[in-house]
Amino acid sequence: MRLSRTMLSLGLLFGSVTQGIAQMTQDEIRLGFREHAAMAQYYRWYQFYERPAGGVANAIDILTHDVTVASGLGTANGHAEYEARVAQLPDTWQNAHSVKSTEITHGDGGAMTLSAQITYQNKGLLPDDAVRQADLTYRVDLVPGETVLPLLSTVLIQQNSETTVETFEDAYAKNRMLSLVHFWLALIEDPARNPEPVREILADEFSLNFSSGVIADFDGFKAWLAGSGSQVAAGTHVISNFSVEEKEVDKTYRVSTDFDWIGIAPDGTELVAKTRHSWTVKNDVTERFARIKTVDVEVLEPFRPRQN
């Protein structure tokens, strides 16, 4: 296959070659956008617990009407019971959820099950500012929603251990930014190539400095997605080397992450590349997602056919 300049641009923009994609099948590549959408919702699950000032509406938004949430505190069925449950949480508590590992399995009709191992911390429950820490296992069932984002239909939480530690480590920034990054990837990878949902995660004034040039308005983004963004039959990313830093001066976040990308050309050829993205992000805790102000892309490994 001869690699066109347009497809070369696409690979350099999207990015992806780590061990995570080395054995990825074409079915897994095609399902990648669904998994990113599931991860976006999963990280949103923690938003209300870690920043309750954002309001419970963002928590309800990710749940089916007949959701079941079960933990050591009991079981809540449906929106009303869940909202009543979380309304009882003291607003003086600090909560943090550090996700250690996740695994997604696919069922029929777009259903997914996500299993996760996390470390939970709470400051406020115990006296003398002691920090409670527990290892938890999550099992989350997700079903298709009206958009690319699935809805959580079941959330089962099991505690595996408990201890106390000296230091509380806030996880909000990392979870909030990972939710944004996964949602961005879900929208970019979605074969529907619909640009409109991306409006929600772009700042009013933004700059996307891709290798093909700078995009600074939504019409430019639409043109890119319809052109370079549509030159492969399917593609997906693996996130690595993720870091986030909050800038107090302008109340923004700086996100740095590597993307290992693998795509399928129209003739079936598998293509890979790797990029490093540096983002500036603004955040309003009341919105579903944070918003991208700037993106700068560095090519780490050039676009090329995958070697089996």
Side-chain angles (χ1 to χ4, degrees), residues 3-267:
L3 304 181
S4 70
R5 179 175 299 179
T6 302
M7 294 188 70
L8 175 60
S9 173
L10 173 66
L12 295 180
L13 290 175
F14 276 179
S16 217
V17 170
T18 67
Q19 192 173 10
I21 65 168
Q23 304 300 323
M24 193 174 289
T25 67
Q26 291 203 356
D27 285 344
E28 290 170 333
I29 295 169
R30 296 180 189 278
L31 290 171
F33 80 99
R34 296 187 186 275
E35 297 196 3
H36 283 301
M39 293 300 296
Q41 295 289 70
Y42 177 62
Y43 280 110
R44 284 182 69 200
W45 164 263
Y46 298 120
Q47 177 179 338
F48 176 72
Y49 296 100
E50 295 179 342
R51 291 296 187 274
V56 73
N58 277 320
I60 299 298
D61 181 69
I62 69 175
L63 306 174
T64 61
H65 288 287
D66 59 350
V67 66
T68 295
V69 179
S71 69
L73 299 176
T75 300
N77 295 301
H79 285 184
E81 287 188 14
Y82 175 74
E83 187 169 357
R85 168 77 60 80
V86 297
Q88 298 174 11
L89 297 175
D91 57 12
T92 56
W93 281 10
Q94 294 175 266
N95 299 294
H97 308 79
S98 178
V99 179
K100 302 304 181 184
S101 65
T102 60
E103 182 178 357
I104 295 175
T105 57
H106 295 265
D108 296 333
M112 290 176 279
T113 296
L114 184 153
S115 299
Q117 304 297 321
I118 81 156
T119 297
Y120 166 68
Q121 289 187 339
N122 170 278
K123 187 175 182 180
L125 173 65
L126 301 178
D128 301 323
D129 282 336
V131 178
R132 174 178 176 263
Q133 180 169 295
D135 291 325
L136 306 178
T137 296
Y138 270 75
R139 185 197 128 182
V140 181
D141 293 332
L142 303 104
V143 297
E146 295 181 357
T147 68
V148 70
L149 292 172
L151 297 176
L152 283 62
S153 61
T154 305
V155 181
L156 305 178
I157 308 168
Q158 176 183 330
Q159 181 172 312
N160 303 317
S161 67
E162 181 174 352
T163 188
T164 58
V165 295
E166 294 184 359
T167 304
F168 177 84
E169 298 181 8
D170 188 11
Y172 173 78
K174 183 176 182 180
N175 291 338
R176 181 70 160 162
M177 294 303 109
L178 278 169
S179 178
L180 171 66
V181 171
H182 279 291
F183 189 35
W184 162 264
L185 295 178
L187 294 174
I188 296 303
E189 296 174 5
D190 184 357
R193 310 295 191 214
N194 181 7
E196 290 305 316
V198 181
R199 290 185 187 273
E200 182 180 9
I201 58 173
L202 293 176
D204 291 338
E205 295 182 358
F206 65 88
S207 174
L208 310 179
N209 186 15
F210 293 152
S211 59
S212 57
V214 177
I215 299 171
D217 57 52
F218 198 72
D219 284 342
F221 174 77
K222 288 167 61 177
W224 173 80
L225 189 62
S228 296
S230 297
Q231 295 303 303
V232 292
T236 195
H237 304 70
V238 172
I239 300 169
S240 63
N241 298 324
F242 183 90
S243 65
V244 57
E245 179 183 5
E246 185 173 4
K247 295 293 185 180
E248 288 293 337
V249 175
D250 57 3
K251 303 301 182 183
T252 61
Y253 292 94
R254 302 295 193 269
V255 174
S256 176
T257 185
D258 294 348
F259 289 153
D260 284 280
W261 175 86
I262 182 167
I264 306 170
D267 68 354

